[in-house]
Amino acid sequence: RQQTLLDDVKIAVPALDVAALGAGGGSIAWIDAGGILDLGPHSAGAEPGPACYGGGGTEPTLTDANLVLGYIAPETFLGGRLSLSPDKARAAISDRIAGPLGLGVEEAALAINALGSSRIAEGIRASTVRRGLDPRDFTLFCFGGAGGLHAETVARELSIPRAIVPREASVLSALGFLSADVRQDHYRAMGQRFGDVGAEGLRKVFAELEDEGRARLSADGFTGDRVRVVRRIDCRYQRQVFTVQVDASDDDLQQDGLGWLREKFETAYAALYRHAHGDQEGFIDSCHLVMYGVLPELALPRFAEGPADPSPARRGFRRIYLAGWVDADVYWFDDLRHGMRIAGPAVVDSASTSVVIGPAGRATVDPYGSLVIDLD
């Protein structure tokens, strides 16, 4: 987003629109004053961590609940480098949640898990439905070590037809950070009518901003075709506060006048507000130049399709608690190959993540080794 609101204060700088939820693995389950189960936003953190870590934590967390439910395997968690205690997880849930609510430990753990999934679903709903977007038109992309434990449940709650859990789920944020192009944003405040700026004035502003941007990127080792430029103009009508963004191409800037800017602005304004003030001249609030230092394209390995039978990746079975205890096939993520098909109930484990597939779920492995869970 090019602007956002912080406590009703307009912040006119680019920002990522991230909706953070207090529903991580360390989120603490608790009972409020009305006797209602709640989850987070306070967390056990890494120290002392969930009760099952054995680091001194006594509060029940989402990780403790998933361990009690059998969704996490103590012997493979963090590649076996961290020993988990199911007994401590059960004790924490029993003392703080199950006992006061008159539930069995497994029922309480399932309620904690369901609450975590519901919080995630509500966050997605706030970012889609409330903005006029239909979740059914999207695919749920999961990342983080615990994302796969809730992926299918969240997708079903929102009627999302497909969920993808990449093999690199636990480090996907870091992978994206390392592969993203370097970006610099350069602004020039204007506050002038279109006619007062003129075509030559606009070219001059962007030329100055580009010279500044190229100098900075050159210092970081980006030159020539490793630099990409995007020009944007924030426009508005007089006495209005919010601006409409207009893209300016090289060809636009080479024109003698600013008729192209007026046309683009009125088109963008009408698309947003269903009308335009054709009898009023527009204002240029600011000129915005985005400079990218282009990194080499990330080339993830892609594999040829093989047999559908997942038996080579099977590691036996594990009892997991859904509506009751069921036997679920267990597969090792790193042994899955493109084309393999898994029918639920099943659990896919790795050294850094686990994925739960319910009885009605089915999953396939795509060319990149990601697990694609289809729900329709």
Side-chain angles (χ1 to χ4, degrees):
R1 298 175 63 177
Q2 298 307 308
Q3 62 186 33
T4 187
L5 293 176
L6 181 62
D7 290 336
D8 296 326
V9 177
K10 178 182 174 183
I11 310 296
V13 295
L16 293 176
D17 188 8
V18 177
L21 306 171
S27 295
I28 295 173
W30 55 289
I31 300 174
D32 67 16
I36 304 299
L37 177 66
D38 206 343
L39 182 68
H42 45 299
S43 172
E47 293 182 1
C52 63
Y53 280 15
T58 59
E59 300 286 350
T61 66
L62 186 55
T63 295
D64 292 309
N66 287 327
L67 179 61
V68 168
L69 296 170
Y71 300 168
I72 298 173
E75 60 274 10
T76 62
F77 188 82
L78 202 61
R81 296 189 299 274
L82 178 61
S83 178
L84 299 184
S85 171
D87 290 340
K88 290 181 178 179
R90 292 182 64 87
I93 293 175
S94 176
D95 292 344
R96 304 298 177 93
I97 305 298
L101 293 180
L103 300 173
V105 174
E106 291 82 6
E107 291 176 309
L110 189 61
I112 295 170
N113 172 277
L115 185 54
S117 296
S118 179
R119 289 285 170 80
I120 297 169
E122 180 57 29
I124 296 174
R125 188 177 287 111
S127 299
T128 54
V129 175
R130 296 179 187 177
R131 297 182 181 181
L133 302 173
D134 190 340
R136 294 173 295 183
D137 296 333
F138 296 86
T139 293
L140 181 64
F141 196 77
C142 311
F143 57 95
L149 298 177
H150 302 271
E152 183 179 340
T153 302
V154 171
R156 288 193 184 281
E157 182 169 338
L158 296 171
S159 297
I160 298 175
R162 174 175 293 178
I164 299 177
V165 184
R167 187 166 295 182
E168 305 85 358
S170 61
V171 294
L172 198 68
S173 293
L175 183 65
F177 177 80
L178 292 173
S179 61
D181 293 337
V182 174
R183 171 173 170 161
Q184 294 182 357
D185 291 85
H186 301 265
Y187 282 89
R188 178 72 58 83
M190 303 293 288
Q192 301 178 57
R193 292 182 176 88
F194 290 175
D196 294 338
V197 176
E200 183 58 35
L202 195 60
R203 283 193 290 269
K204 181 180 179 182
V205 168
F206 276 115
E208 292 174 351
L209 291 175
E210 186 169 340
D211 287 343
E212 179 184 346
R214 286 187 180 276
R216 291 186 177 181
L217 284 175
S218 178
D220 291 334
F222 297 99
T223 58
D225 60 0
R226 295 187 63 196
V227 175
R228 183 163 61 90
V229 179
V230 177
R231 302 174 185 88
R232 294 169 177 152
I233 304 171
D234 294 321
C235 304
R236 61 176 174 83
Y237 288 113
Q238 189 175 10
R239 293 185 297 276
Q240 291 190 340
V241 175
F242 294 100
T243 59
V244 174
Q245 191 176 91
V246 175
D247 290 332
S249 67
D250 289 335
D251 291 340
D252 290 334
L253 291 177
Q254 295 309 312
Q255 296 187 36
D256 293 333
L258 293 182
W260 62 270
L261 178 59
R262 182 186 185 98
E263 181 179 350
K264 282 189 172 183
F265 169 54
E266 290 182 351
T267 299
Y269 190 94
L272 285 172
Y273 303 111
R274 298 296 184 266
H275 72 281
H277 304 284
D279 58 338
Q280 297 184 27
E281 186 176 14
F283 272 68
I284 297 178
D285 225 28
S286 63
C287 291
H288 177 198
L289 184 77
V290 186
M291 302 284 292
Y292 292 96
V294 181
L295 291 173
E297 184 177 349
L298 181 65
L300 293 174
R302 184 182 176 96
F303 304 98
E305 188 170 4
D309 183 11
S311 297
R314 190 172 183 274
R315 294 283 186 92
F317 71 92
R318 185 160 77 238
R319 289 179 62 77
I320 64 174
Y321 194 88
L322 298 171
W325 288 106
V326 299
D327 290 336
D329 290 319
V330 176
Y331 299 92
W332 191 245
F333 215 148
D334 294 343
D335 292 339
L336 292 174
R337 296 293 178 263
H338 178 205
M340 289 184 175
R341 301 177 181 273
I342 297 173
V347 180
V348 179
D349 285 334
S350 76
S352 58
T353 191
S354 290
V355 183
V356 174
I357 303 169
R362 62 187 188 279
T364 58
V365 183
D366 74 4
Y368 298 98
S370 299
L371 200 63
V372 181
I373 305 173
D374 288 307
L375 307 174
D376 54 3

